[in-house]
Amino acid sequence: TIAGRYCFSPAQLWCTIDNRVTRVAWLNRSTILYAGNDKWCLDPRVVLLSNTQTQYSIEIQNVDVYDEGPYTCSVQTDNHPKTSRVHLIVQVSPKIVEISSDISINEGNNISLTCIATGRPEPTVTWRHISPKAVGFVSEDEYLEIQGITREQSGDYECSASNDVAAPVVRRVKVTVNYPPYISEAKGTGVPVGQKGTLQCEASAVPSAEFQWYKDDKRLIEGKKGVKVENRPFLSKLIFFNVSEHDYGNYTCVASNKLGHTNASIMLFELNEPTSSTLLQEVKTTALTPWKGPGAVSEVSNGTSRRAGCIWLLPLLVLHLLLKF
């Protein structure tokens, strides 16, 4: 009986023999590896494991794919020689030997990603987009082609190679999609005189946008007295520490990068801050001014309308007194 196995390293081959066997040897194709206890090959990786009355076995250490193939156990008995053959299949875990580098590309262009893997059996290669919006695999091939790439398709792409021999091998490629700025939020604001005011401008872009502020076609320079510009990668703030009448008006936020630019108008307007005396005056005015609806008589200089107003109010006063008593 002869046996072998699928293996990485080492590989063990053995013959089951009995007391009728007088001579025994292991061969690889036509090359003698061992004859009895004598080693015939020069490969140091091949060693004798056992030579007993019941078993004759050898071991091949650090197995290589070139070791795959037929091995023969040849035995000699008193009657005649006998041979048994086993085919050694060498399995190799997957290995990614070539993969695309990280790439930066403008929106709308085409890209091609490559992931080459080796192994035995031949590994299966898949591509997956690492994104919360991505679902499943985007390619079950060594090559991933994307036509007219969009900004939503930016991010990491994961190549996985597997052949069930060992755990899958995973590598990632980062894809950066460049696109011109677009302003996502720009709202005007009202501020009373003497108070602090802030105009905000938010813009999305890759590479990040650079911001500039204008008023009446005149660019606002950082460091202007009473005004400060704070820029972040996707947000710019125009801060007024003490708003004056001169500050009110229309401002333009410009966001730009190497692919283009965009702008938005933002209004800083005066917001009247109500006071207690103003509120009291409004209450008094409301109480003393008669309602002027459709058909009401407008006021004239001879006092006729005032007399008409009094006559009109008299029935209401009488009704009020009756209800009270």
Side-chain angles (χ1 to χ4, degrees):
T1 304
I2 187 171
R5 63 179 181 179
Y6 290 88
C7 59
F8 303 104
S9 179
Q12 295 180 354
L13 308 175
W14 61 92
C15 277
T16 301
I17 57 178
D18 56 32
N19 55 9
R20 294 175 299 169
V21 174
T22 57
R23 294 180 182 180
V24 63
W26 270 109
L27 297 85
N28 177 211
R29 298 179 175 87
S30 60
T31 303
I32 300 176
L33 303 177
Y34 265 91
N37 292 324
D38 298 327
K39 184 175 182 178
W40 286 50
C41 71
L42 300 177
D43 192 338
R45 300 176 303 126
V46 181
V47 296
L48 181 66
L49 286 183
S50 65
N51 184 8
T52 66
Q53 291 184 346
T54 59
Q55 189 179 86
Y56 184 59
S57 61
I58 62 172
E59 181 178 84
I60 305 173
Q61 301 171 346
N62 301 319
V63 172
D64 190 270
V65 292
Y66 300 107
D67 297 319
E68 183 169 305
Y71 288 80
T72 303
C73 178
S74 177
V75 297
Q76 179 70 46
T77 64
D78 293 335
N79 297 326
H80 53 79
K82 183 179 180 181
T83 61
S84 295
R85 177 177 292 188
V86 63
H87 194 91
L88 179 65
I89 299 175
V90 178
Q91 293 184 323
V92 180
S93 58
K95 180 180 180 181
I96 295 175
V97 295
E98 181 184 343
I99 191 168
S100 298
S101 302
D102 293 346
I103 184 173
S104 178
I105 191 168
N106 294 344
E107 188 173 36
N109 289 346
N110 305 329
I111 67 167
S112 177
L113 302 181
T114 302
C115 182
I116 305 299
T118 60
R120 295 171 71 100
E122 185 176 351
T124 299
V125 177
T126 57
W127 281 98
R128 187 165 64 98
H129 185 198
I130 308 301
S131 168
K133 297 180 180 180
V135 180
F137 297 106
V138 293
S139 174
E140 296 188 2
D141 192 5
E142 296 175 337
Y143 304 98
L144 172 61
E145 304 281 347
I146 301 178
Q147 305 291 325
I149 194 167
T150 65
R151 63 195 69 178
E152 290 79 14
Q153 292 174 303
S154 64
D156 288 337
Y157 284 80
E158 182 182 88
C159 171
S160 175
S162 61
N163 63 359
D164 296 329
V165 175
V169 179
V170 173
R171 297 271 298 275
R172 289 187 178 185
V173 176
K174 183 176 181 62
V175 176
T176 301
V177 179
N178 304 312
Y179 57 91
Y182 74 93
I183 294 177
S184 55
E185 184 173 351
K187 293 184 179 179
T189 184
V191 182
V193 173
Q195 299 296 316
K196 181 179 179 180
T198 302
L199 297 180
Q200 289 193 171
C201 181
E202 295 184 22
S204 177
V206 177
S208 298
E210 295 182 357
F211 292 93
Q212 295 176 351
W213 288 90
Y214 292 83
K215 184 183 181 185
D216 300 329
D217 297 329
K218 184 178 180 181
R219 183 181 173 185
L220 301 181
I221 306 300
E222 175 69 27
K224 179 184 175 183
K225 186 177 180 181
V227 178
K228 181 182 179 182
V229 178
E230 286 187 358
N231 288 332
R232 299 177 185 175
F234 300 102
L235 173 67
S236 181
K237 293 182 180 180
L238 182 61
I239 303 172
F240 303 86
F241 295 102
N242 188 1
V243 175
S244 66
E245 292 283 351
H246 176 72
D247 293 324
Y248 294 125
N250 188 45
Y251 290 81
T252 301
C253 168
V254 178
S256 61
N257 67 7
K258 64 181 183 181
L259 298 179
H261 65 273
T262 186
N263 64 77
S265 296
I266 308 176
M267 181 69 70
L268 179 68
F269 56 90
E270 184 176 3
L271 184 66
N272 293 322
E273 196 171 27
T275 61
S276 58
S277 59
T278 304
L279 293 174
L280 181 60
Q281 182 64 32
E282 289 179 354
V283 171
K284 289 182 178 180
T285 303
T286 303
L288 296 177
T289 303
W291 176 74
K292 293 183 178 181
V297 180
S298 60
E299 186 173 348
V300 292
S301 59
N302 61 9
T304 303
S305 63
R306 285 194 293 272
R307 287 194 299 273
C310 292
I311 295 172
W312 177 76
L313 288 173
L314 183 61
L316 293 178
L317 290 174
V318 173
L319 178 61
H320 177 71
L321 290 174
L322 290 175
L323 292 173
K324 185 174 181 180
F325 294 102

